[in-house]
Amino acid sequence: MLIHQRTILQILLVLYFLLNYDKVQGETKLSKLEELALEKQLKRLNKPSVKTIKTKWGDTYDCVDFYKQPAFDHPSLKNHNFHPEMKPTLSTTKQIPSASNVDISSKIWSENEGCPSGTVPVKRVTKDDLIRQRRIPPPEDLTLESHLEDTNHILEETGGYKRAIVHTPSDPNNKFAGAAMVASIWNPSVEGQQSSACRLKIQKGQDSMQVGWRVDPTLYGNNHTKFFIHFQAGNTHCFNTLCPGFVLVNSDIYLDAEFDHISRRGDETQWEIFLYIDRDIANGNWWLLIGENQTAVGFWPPGIFTALSNDFATNIEWGGVAYTPPGVPYPPMGTGFFPAVPNPTLDAYCRGLIVFNNKGETINAEKTPIFLDNPILYRVIDEPHGGPENFPHYMFYGGPDDTHM
C-alpha cells in the first residue's frame, strides 16, 4: 500500500511539473501593456554599466557606479551620504574558528574577475527573470507559533513554508546587534516552484534580514545552489538587489553567486561559508560580512526599516526552510536525510552560532529552542556544546526521509 501511494504521488508530481514548466521557465504570452511594463521595470533595475562581466556560471553582471546602484532608488536613501570606501565601525568581532576536517569555501568569488574600483557588481535582470519572479511566494511567516494539532493534520498538510531551525528564546526585551554562523553548503533537489534554503535570519516585528544559500528555480531559473540575501521591511520584501535597499560596497563579491563546491554526504571534508550580520555601533547600518576574515559585502541602512530603524533585533534564527506550492510534496532540506547521530560529515549543519548583544559583545548562543513546523517531514538536533572550538554550538537539520516523500 505504501509503495502504491508513493507511486501515485510521484506521477502527480511529474504531471504538475509538466503542466507548470512553461510558466516557471518564463514562456508566458504577454499583452503589449505587460511587455511595456516589463521593459520599464528592466530599465529601472538594469543600471548603466561601466563594465560587463560574464561569469563562469553563465550569469551577466554589470559593474555599476557606486552612486547609481539600485539601492539608492529607495525613497529614504535619496539624500544619503554613503561612499564607496565605507567600512563598518564595528566592535571587535571574535572570529569563529575553522573546523579541522573542513575545507572553507568562503572565497568562491576569487576566481572571477572583479569590477573596477568605485563600481559594484549588479546581476543583470532579464525579461524571463521578471516573468518567473512574478510567481515568487510571499515571505515566510515571522511568527514561531505552530498550528499543527495532530499527526493526521501534519501528514495531510501541503503547501507553504516549513522551517527546521533553532532560535533565541522569545522575549520582546531581547536586544541583539547581530549574529553569525558557519553553514555547510548543499544542493537539495527541488523542482518547479519549490525552494530549499539554509539561512541566518535577524528580526524585529515585521522587519527582517536573511543571508545564506538557497536552491530556487523560480528566483534563479535553475536548480543550482546560490548565495542570497533577503530583507523584509513591513509589507515590502525582496531578494538580493531586485528592489532598492541593500547598499553594495564590495567590487569583487557577487550576490546571487553560484557555489563552486557542494558538500557530499560521507566525505571527510565538507564545504562551508562564514556569515555575519552586525549592526554598526556608530550609525546603525546592518553590515553583511562573509568569510573567515569577515569581508564586508554591504549593508542595510536603518532608514529602510521601521522596527529595526533605530533599534536592536529581538529574534535570531539559524537553520533550514523549504517551500512548496499547494498540492505538491515538500522538497528535501539539507542532505534530504533526518539527522540521527550528530555527524558533520553526514548531516547539514549550522555551527558557531553566536549573537552580538547591544554592547557589541560576542556570546555563544547556548539557549536555543528548536522550532519545527512539521516534525514528520523535517528534524533538528541541537548541540550547544557539540564542538571543541571557542564557539562550539552546532545545529543539524534535514529531511524528509524517503518514507515521507
Side-chain angles (χ1 to χ4, degrees), residues 281-358:
I281 58 175
N283 48 41
N285 293 329
W286 292 90
W287 281 88
L288 169 60
L289 315 172
I290 67 167
E292 290 181 272
N293 297 323
Q294 300 165 29
T295 302
V297 180
F299 59 90
W300 291 274
I304 69 173
F305 296 112
T306 301
L308 284 168
S309 61
N310 293 300
D311 207 349
F312 297 94
T314 57
N315 184 56
I316 313 290
E317 298 177 13
W318 300 265
V321 59
Y323 173 84
T324 199
V328 179
Y330 276 91
M333 189 187 290
T335 63
F337 290 85
F338 291 152
V341 178
N343 186 335
T345 68
L346 294 177
D347 298 313
Y349 61 82
C350 304
R351 68 175 182 87
L353 308 190
I354 58 177
V355 297
F356 310 128
N357 66 16
N358 60 343

Coordinates of all heavy atoms in Angstrom, one line a residue, residues 281-358:
I281 N 27.9 50.2 15.3 CA 27.7 50.9 16.6 C 27.6 52.5 16.4 O 27.1 53.2 17.2 CB 28.7 50.6 17.7 CG1 30.1 50.9 17.2 CG2 28.6 49.1 18.0 CD1 31.2 50.7 18.2
A282 N 28.2 52.9 15.3 CA 28.3 54.4 15.0 C 27.0 54.9 14.4 O 26.6 56.1 14.7 CB 29.5 54.7 14.2
N283 N 26.4 54.2 13.4 CA 25.3 54.8 12.7 C 24.1 53.8 12.5 O 23.1 54.2 11.8 CB 25.8 55.2 11.3 CG 26.7 54.1 10.6 OD1 26.3 52.9 10.7 ND2 27.8 54.5 10.0
G284 N 24.2 52.6 13.0 CA 23.0 51.7 12.9 C 22.9 50.9 11.6 O 22.0 50.2 11.5
N285 N 23.9 51.1 10.7 CA 23.9 50.3 9.5 C 24.0 48.8 9.8 O 24.9 48.4 10.7 CB 25.0 50.7 8.5 CG 24.8 52.1 7.9 OD1 23.6 52.5 7.8 ND2 25.8 52.8 7.7
W286 N 23.3 47.9 9.2 CA 23.4 46.5 9.4 C 24.3 45.9 8.3 O 23.9 45.7 7.2 CB 22.0 45.8 9.4 CG 21.1 46.2 10.5 CD1 20.2 47.3 10.6 CD2 21.0 45.6 11.8 NE1 19.6 47.3 11.8 CE2 20.0 46.3 12.6 CE3 21.6 44.4 12.3 CZ2 19.7 45.9 13.9 CZ3 21.2 44.0 13.6 CH2 20.3 44.8 14.4
W287 N 25.5 45.5 8.7 CA 26.5 45.1 7.8 C 26.5 43.6 7.5 O 26.3 42.8 8.5 CB 27.9 45.5 8.2 CG 28.2 46.9 8.0 CD1 28.0 48.0 8.8 CD2 28.9 47.4 6.8 NE1 28.4 49.1 8.2 CE2 29.0 48.8 7.0 CE3 29.4 46.8 5.7 CZ2 29.6 49.6 6.1 CZ3 30.0 47.7 4.7 CH2 30.1 49.0 4.9
L288 N 26.6 43.2 6.3 CA 26.8 41.8 5.9 C 28.3 41.5 5.7 O 28.9 42.2 4.9 CB 26.0 41.5 4.6 CG 26.3 40.1 4.0 CD1 25.9 39.0 4.9 CD2 25.5 40.0 2.7
L289 N 28.8 40.6 6.5 CA 30.2 40.2 6.4 C 30.3 38.7 6.1 O 29.5 37.9 6.6 CB 31.0 40.5 7.7 CG 30.7 41.8 8.4 CD1 31.4 41.8 9.7 CD2 31.2 42.9 7.5
I290 N 31.2 38.3 5.2 CA 31.4 36.9 4.9 C 32.8 36.5 5.0 O 33.8 37.3 4.9 CB 30.9 36.5 3.5 CG1 31.7 37.2 2.4 CG2 29.4 36.9 3.3 CD1 31.5 36.7 1.0
G291 N 33.0 35.1 5.2 CA 34.4 34.6 5.1 C 35.1 34.7 6.5 O 34.6 35.3 7.4
E292 N 36.1 33.9 6.6 CA 36.9 33.9 7.8 C 37.4 35.2 8.2 O 37.6 35.5 9.4 CB 38.1 32.9 7.7 CG 37.7 31.4 7.6 CD 38.9 30.5 7.5 OE1 39.3 30.3 6.4 OE2 39.4 30.1 8.5
N293 N 37.7 36.1 7.3 CA 38.3 37.4 7.6 C 37.2 38.5 7.7 O 37.5 39.7 7.7 CB 39.3 37.8 6.5 CG 40.5 36.9 6.4 OD1 40.9 36.4 7.5 ND2 41.0 36.6 5.2
Q294 N 35.9 38.1 7.6 CA 34.8 39.0 7.8 C 34.9 40.1 6.8 O 34.8 41.3 7.1 CB 34.8 39.5 9.2 CG 34.6 38.4 10.3 CD 34.9 38.8 11.7 OE1 34.8 40.0 12.0 NE2 35.4 37.9 12.5
T295 N 34.9 39.7 5.5 CA 34.9 40.7 4.4 C 33.6 41.4 4.3 O 32.5 40.7 4.2 CB 35.3 40.0 3.1 OG1 36.6 39.4 3.3 CG2 35.4 41.0 2.0
A296 N 33.6 42.7 4.2 CA 32.3 43.5 4.1 C 31.8 43.4 2.7 O 32.5 43.6 1.7 CB 32.6 44.9 4.5
V297 N 30.5 43.0 2.6 CA 29.8 42.9 1.3 C 29.0 44.2 1.0 O 29.0 44.8 0.0 CB 28.9 41.7 1.2 CG1 28.2 41.7 -0.2 CG2 29.6 40.4 1.4
G298 N 28.3 44.6 2.1 CA 27.5 45.8 2.0 C 26.6 45.9 3.3 O 26.9 45.2 4.3
F299 N 25.6 46.8 3.2 CA 24.8 46.9 4.4 C 23.4 47.3 4.1 O 23.1 47.9 3.0 CB 25.4 48.0 5.3 CG 25.6 49.4 4.7 CD1 24.6 50.3 4.8 CD2 26.7 49.7 4.0 CE1 24.7 51.6 4.2 CE2 26.9 50.9 3.4 CZ 25.9 51.9 3.5
W300 N 22.5 47.0 5.1 CA 21.1 47.5 5.0 C 21.1 48.8 5.9 O 21.3 48.7 7.1 CB 20.2 46.5 5.6 CG 20.0 45.3 4.8 CD1 19.1 45.1 3.8 CD2 20.6 44.0 5.0 NE1 19.2 43.8 3.3 CE2 20.1 43.1 4.0 CE3 21.6 43.5 5.9 CZ2 20.5 41.8 3.9 CZ3 22.0 42.2 5.8 CH2 21.5 41.4 4.8
P301 N 20.8 50.0 5.3 CA 20.7 51.2 6.1 C 19.5 51.1 7.0 O 18.4 50.6 6.6 CB 20.5 52.3 5.1 CG 21.0 51.7 3.8 CD 20.6 50.2 3.9
P302 N 19.5 51.7 8.2 CA 18.4 51.6 9.1 C 17.2 52.3 8.6 O 16.0 52.0 9.0 CB 18.9 52.3 10.4 CG 20.1 53.1 10.0 CD 20.7 52.4 8.8
G303 N 17.4 53.3 7.7 CA 16.3 54.1 7.2 C 15.3 53.3 6.3 O 14.2 53.8 6.1
I304 N 15.6 52.1 5.9 CA 14.7 51.4 5.0 C 13.7 50.6 5.9 O 12.8 50.0 5.4 CB 15.4 50.4 4.1 CG1 16.1 49.3 4.8 CG2 16.4 51.2 3.2 CD1 16.7 48.2 3.9
F305 N 14.0 50.5 7.2 CA 13.2 49.7 8.1 C 12.3 50.6 9.0 O 12.4 51.9 9.0 CB 14.1 48.9 9.1 CG 14.9 47.9 8.3 CD1 16.3 48.0 8.3 CD2 14.3 46.8 7.8 CE1 17.1 47.0 7.6 CE2 15.1 45.8 7.1 CZ 16.5 46.0 7.1
T306 N 11.4 50.0 9.7 CA 10.6 50.6 10.7 C 11.0 50.1 12.1 O 11.6 50.9 12.9 CB 9.1 50.4 10.5 OG1 8.7 50.9 9.2 CG2 8.2 51.1 11.5
A307 N 10.7 48.9 12.4 CA 11.1 48.3 13.7 C 12.6 48.3 13.9 O 13.0 48.4 15.1 CB 10.5 46.9 13.8
L308 N 13.3 48.1 12.9 CA 14.8 48.0 13.0 C 15.5 49.3 12.7 O 16.7 49.3 12.6 CB 15.3 46.9 12.1 CG 15.1 45.4 12.6 CD1 15.4 44.4 11.5 CD2 15.9 45.1 13.8
S309 N 14.8 50.3 12.5 CA 15.4 51.6 12.1 C 16.4 52.2 13.1 O 17.5 52.6 12.7 CB 14.3 52.6 11.7 OG 13.5 52.9 12.9
N310 N 16.0 52.2 14.3 CA 16.8 52.8 15.4 C 16.9 51.8 16.6 O 16.9 52.3 17.7 CB 16.4 54.1 15.8 CG 16.5 55.2 14.7 OD1 17.6 55.4 14.2 ND2 15.4 55.7 14.2
D311 N 16.8 50.6 16.3 CA 16.7 49.6 17.5 C 17.4 48.3 17.2 O 17.9 48.1 16.0 CB 15.2 49.4 17.8 CG 15.0 49.0 19.3 OD1 16.0 48.8 20.0 OD2 13.8 48.9 19.7
F312 N 17.5 47.5 18.1 CA 18.1 46.2 18.0 C 17.1 45.1 17.6 O 15.9 45.3 17.7 CB 18.8 45.8 19.3 CG 19.9 46.8 19.7 CD1 19.6 47.8 20.6 CD2 21.2 46.6 19.3 CE1 20.6 48.7 21.0 CE2 22.2 47.5 19.6 CZ 21.9 48.5 20.5
A313 N 17.6 44.0 17.2 CA 16.8 42.8 16.9 C 16.3 42.1 18.1 O 17.0 42.2 19.2 CB 17.5 41.9 16.0
T314 N 15.2 41.4 18.1 CA 14.7 40.7 19.2 C 14.7 39.2 19.0 O 14.5 38.4 19.9 CB 13.2 41.1 19.6 OG1 12.4 40.9 18.4 CG2 13.2 42.6 20.0
N315 N 14.9 38.8 17.7 CA 14.9 37.3 17.4 C 15.9 37.0 16.4 O 16.1 37.7 15.4 CB 13.5 36.9 16.9 CG 13.4 35.4 16.7 OD1 13.6 34.6 17.6 ND2 13.1 35.0 15.4
I316 N 16.6 35.8 16.6 CA 17.6 35.3 15.7 C 17.2 33.9 15.4 O 16.8 33.1 16.3 CB 19.0 35.3 16.3 CG1 19.3 36.7 16.9 CG2 20.0 35.0 15.2 CD1 19.5 37.8 15.9
E317 N 17.3 33.5 14.1 CA 17.1 32.1 13.7 C 18.2 31.5 12.9 O 18.8 32.3 12.1 CB 15.8 32.0 12.9 CG 14.5 32.4 13.6 CD 13.3 32.4 12.7 OE1 13.4 31.8 11.6 OE2 12.3 32.9 13.0
W318 N 18.5 30.2 13.1 CA 19.5 29.5 12.3 C 18.9 28.2 11.8 O 18.3 27.5 12.6 CB 20.7 29.2 13.1 CG 21.5 30.3 13.8 CD1 22.6 31.0 13.3 CD2 21.2 30.9 15.1 NE1 23.0 31.9 14.2 CE2 22.2 31.9 15.3 CE3 20.2 30.7 16.1 CZ2 22.2 32.7 16.5 CZ3 20.3 31.5 17.2 CH2 21.3 32.4 17.4
G319 N 19.1 27.9 10.5 CA 18.7 26.6 10.0 C 18.1 26.6 8.7 O 18.3 27.5 7.9
G320 N 17.2 25.6 8.4 CA 16.7 25.4 7.1 C 15.2 25.8 6.9 O 14.5 25.9 7.9
V321 N 14.9 26.1 5.7 CA 13.5 26.5 5.3 C 13.2 25.9 3.9 O 14.1 26.0 3.0 CB 13.2 28.0 5.4 CG1 14.1 28.7 4.5 CG2 11.8 28.3 5.1
A322 N 12.0 25.3 3.7 CA 11.7 24.8 2.4 C 10.3 25.3 2.1 O 9.4 25.6 3.0 CB 11.7 23.3 2.5
Y323 N 10.0 25.4 0.8 CA 8.7 25.9 0.3 C 8.2 25.0 -0.8 O 9.0 24.5 -1.6 CB 8.8 27.3 -0.2 CG 7.5 27.8 -0.9 CD1 6.5 28.3 -0.1 CD2 7.3 27.6 -2.3 CE1 5.3 28.7 -0.7 CE2 6.1 28.0 -2.9 CZ 5.1 28.6 -2.1 OH 3.9 28.9 -2.6
T324 N 6.9 24.8 -0.8 CA 6.3 24.1 -2.0 C 4.9 24.7 -2.2 O 4.3 25.1 -1.2 CB 6.2 22.5 -1.7 OG1 6.0 21.9 -2.9 CG2 5.0 22.2 -0.8
P325 N 4.4 24.7 -3.5 CA 3.1 25.2 -3.7 C 2.1 24.2 -3.3 O 2.4 23.0 -3.1 CB 3.1 25.4 -5.2 CG 4.1 24.5 -5.8 CD 5.2 24.4 -4.7
P326 N 0.8 24.6 -3.1 CA -0.3 23.7 -2.7 C -0.4 22.5 -3.6 O -0.2 22.6 -4.8 CB -1.5 24.5 -2.8 CG -1.0 26.0 -2.6 CD 0.3 26.0 -3.3
G327 N -0.6 21.3 -3.0 CA -0.8 20.1 -3.7 C 0.5 19.4 -4.2 O 0.4 18.4 -4.9
V328 N 1.6 19.9 -3.8 CA 2.9 19.3 -4.2 C 3.7 18.9 -3.0 O 3.8 19.6 -2.0 CB 3.7 20.3 -5.0 CG1 5.0 19.7 -5.5 CG2 2.9 20.7 -6.2
P329 N 4.2 17.6 -3.0 CA 5.0 17.2 -1.8 C 6.2 18.1 -1.5 O 6.7 18.8 -2.4 CB 5.6 15.8 -2.2 CG 4.6 15.4 -3.3 CD 4.1 16.6 -4.0
Y330 N 6.6 18.2 -0.3 CA 7.7 19.1 0.1 C 9.0 18.6 -0.4 O 9.3 17.3 -0.4 CB 7.7 19.2 1.6 CG 6.8 20.3 2.1 CD1 5.5 20.0 2.5 CD2 7.2 21.6 2.1 CE1 4.6 21.0 2.9 CE2 6.3 22.6 2.5 CZ 5.0 22.3 2.9 OH 4.1 23.3 3.2
P331 N 10.0 19.5 -0.7 CA 11.3 19.1 -1.2 C 12.2 18.7 0.0 O 11.9 19.0 1.1 CB 11.8 20.3 -1.9 CG 11.2 21.5 -1.1 CD 9.8 21.0 -0.7
P332 N 13.4 18.1 -0.4 CA 14.3 17.9 0.7 C 14.9 19.2 1.3 O 14.9 20.2 0.6 CB 15.5 17.1 -0.1 CG 14.8 16.6 -1.3 CD 13.8 17.6 -1.7
M333 N 15.4 19.1 2.5 CA 16.1 20.2 3.2 C 17.4 19.6 3.6 O 17.6 18.5 4.1 CB 15.3 20.6 4.4 CG 15.7 21.9 5.0 SD 14.8 22.2 6.6 CE 13.2 22.6 6.0
G334 N 18.5 20.4 3.3 CA 19.8 20.0 3.7 C 20.2 18.8 2.8 O 20.2 18.8 1.6
T335 N 20.6 17.7 3.5 CA 21.0 16.5 2.8 C 19.8 15.7 2.3 O 20.0 14.8 1.5 CB 21.8 15.6 3.7 OG1 21.0 15.1 4.8 CG2 23.0 16.3 4.3
G336 N 18.6 16.0 2.8 CA 17.5 15.2 2.4 C 17.3 14.0 3.4 O 16.4 13.1 3.2
F337 N 18.1 13.9 4.4 CA 18.0 12.8 5.4 C 17.8 13.4 6.8 O 18.2 14.6 7.1 CB 19.3 12.0 5.5 CG 19.6 11.2 4.3 CD1 20.2 11.7 3.1 CD2 19.2 9.8 4.2 CE1 20.4 10.9 2.0 CE2 19.4 9.0 3.1 CZ 20.0 9.6 2.0
F338 N 17.1 12.7 7.7 CA 17.0 13.1 9.0 C 18.4 13.0 9.7 O 19.1 12.0 9.6 CB 16.0 12.2 9.8 CG 14.6 12.3 9.4 CD1 13.7 11.3 9.6 CD2 14.1 13.5 8.9 CE1 12.4 11.4 9.2 CE2 12.7 13.6 8.6 CZ 11.9 12.6 8.7
P339 N 18.8 14.1 10.5 CA 20.0 13.9 11.3 C 19.7 12.9 12.4 O 18.6 12.9 13.0 CB 20.2 15.3 11.9 CG 18.9 15.9 11.8 CD 18.1 15.4 10.7
A340 N 20.6 12.0 12.6 CA 20.4 10.9 13.6 C 21.5 11.1 14.7 O 21.3 11.8 15.7 CB 20.5 9.5 13.0
V341 N 22.6 10.5 14.5 CA 23.8 10.7 15.4 C 24.5 11.9 14.8 O 24.9 11.9 13.7 CB 24.7 9.5 15.4 CG1 25.9 9.8 16.3 CG2 24.0 8.3 15.9
P342 N 24.6 13.0 15.6 CA 25.2 14.2 15.0 C 26.5 14.0 14.4 O 27.4 13.5 15.1 CB 25.2 15.2 16.3 CG 24.2 14.7 17.2 CD 24.1 13.2 17.0
N343 N 26.7 14.3 13.1 CA 27.9 14.0 12.4 C 28.1 15.0 11.3 O 27.3 15.0 10.3 CB 27.9 12.6 11.9 CG 29.2 12.2 11.3 OD1 30.0 13.0 10.8 ND2 29.5 10.9 11.2
P344 N 29.1 15.9 11.4 CA 29.2 16.9 10.3 C 29.5 16.4 9.0 O 29.4 17.1 8.0 CB 30.4 17.8 10.8 CG 30.4 17.5 12.3 CD 30.0 16.1 12.5
T345 N 30.0 15.1 8.9 CA 30.2 14.6 7.5 C 29.0 13.9 6.9 O 29.0 13.6 5.7 CB 31.4 13.5 7.6 OG1 30.9 12.4 8.3 CG2 32.6 14.0 8.3
L346 N 27.9 13.8 7.7 CA 26.7 13.1 7.2 C 25.5 14.1 7.1 O 24.6 13.9 6.2 CB 26.3 11.9 8.1 CG 27.3 10.8 8.1 CD1 26.8 9.7 9.1 CD2 27.5 10.2 6.7
D347 N 25.5 15.1 7.9 CA 24.3 15.9 8.0 C 24.5 17.4 7.8 O 25.6 17.9 8.1 CB 23.7 15.8 9.4 CG 23.2 14.3 9.7 OD1 22.6 13.7 8.9 OD2 23.6 13.8 10.8
A348 N 23.5 18.1 7.2 CA 23.6 19.5 7.0 C 23.6 20.2 8.4 O 23.0 19.7 9.3 CB 22.4 20.0 6.2
Y349 N 24.4 21.2 8.5 CA 24.5 21.9 9.8 C 24.8 23.4 9.7 O 25.2 23.9 8.7 CB 25.7 21.2 10.6 CG 27.0 21.4 10.0 CD1 27.8 22.5 10.2 CD2 27.6 20.3 9.3 CE1 29.1 22.7 9.6 CE2 28.8 20.4 8.7 CZ 29.6 21.6 8.8 OH 30.8 21.7 8.3
C350 N 24.5 24.1 10.8 CA 25.0 25.4 11.1 C 25.8 25.3 12.3 O 25.4 24.7 13.3 CB 23.8 26.4 11.3 SG 22.7 26.5 9.9
R351 N 27.0 25.9 12.4 CA 27.8 25.9 13.6 C 28.3 27.3 13.9 O 28.2 28.2 13.2 CB 29.0 24.9 13.3 CG 30.0 25.4 12.3 CD 31.2 24.4 12.3 NE 32.3 24.9 11.4 CZ 33.2 25.7 11.7 NH1 33.3 26.2 13.0 NH2 34.1 26.1 10.8
G352 N 29.0 27.3 15.1 CA 29.5 28.6 15.5 C 28.4 29.6 15.7 O 28.5 30.8 15.4
L353 N 27.2 29.2 16.3 CA 26.1 30.0 16.4 C 26.4 31.1 17.5 O 26.5 30.7 18.7 CB 24.8 29.2 16.8 CG 24.5 28.0 15.9 CD1 23.1 27.5 16.2 CD2 24.6 28.4 14.4
I354 N 26.5 32.3 17.1 CA 26.8 33.4 18.1 C 25.8 34.5 17.9 O 25.3 34.7 16.8 CB 28.2 33.9 18.0 CG1 28.6 34.4 16.6 CG2 29.2 32.8 18.5 CD1 30.0 34.9 16.5
V355 N 25.7 35.3 18.9 CA 24.9 36.6 18.9 C 25.8 37.7 19.4 O 26.7 37.5 20.2 CB 23.6 36.5 19.6 CG1 22.7 35.4 19.1 CG2 23.8 36.2 21.1
F356 N 25.5 38.9 19.0 CA 26.1 40.1 19.5 C 25.1 40.9 20.3 O 24.0 41.2 19.8 CB 26.6 41.0 18.3 CG 27.4 40.2 17.3 CD1 27.1 40.3 16.0 CD2 28.5 39.4 17.7 CE1 27.9 39.6 15.0 CE2 29.2 38.7 16.8 CZ 28.9 38.8 15.4
N357 N 25.4 41.2 21.6 CA 24.4 41.9 22.4 C 24.5 43.4 22.1 O 25.2 43.8 21.2 CB 24.7 41.6 23.9 CG 26.0 42.1 24.4 OD1 26.7 43.0 23.7 ND2 26.4 41.7 25.5
N358 N 23.7 44.2 22.8 CA 23.6 45.6 22.5 C 24.8 46.4 22.8 O 24.9 47.6 22.5 CB 22.4 46.2 23.2 CG 22.4 46.1 24.7 OD1 23.2 45.3 25.2 ND2 21.6 46.8 25.4

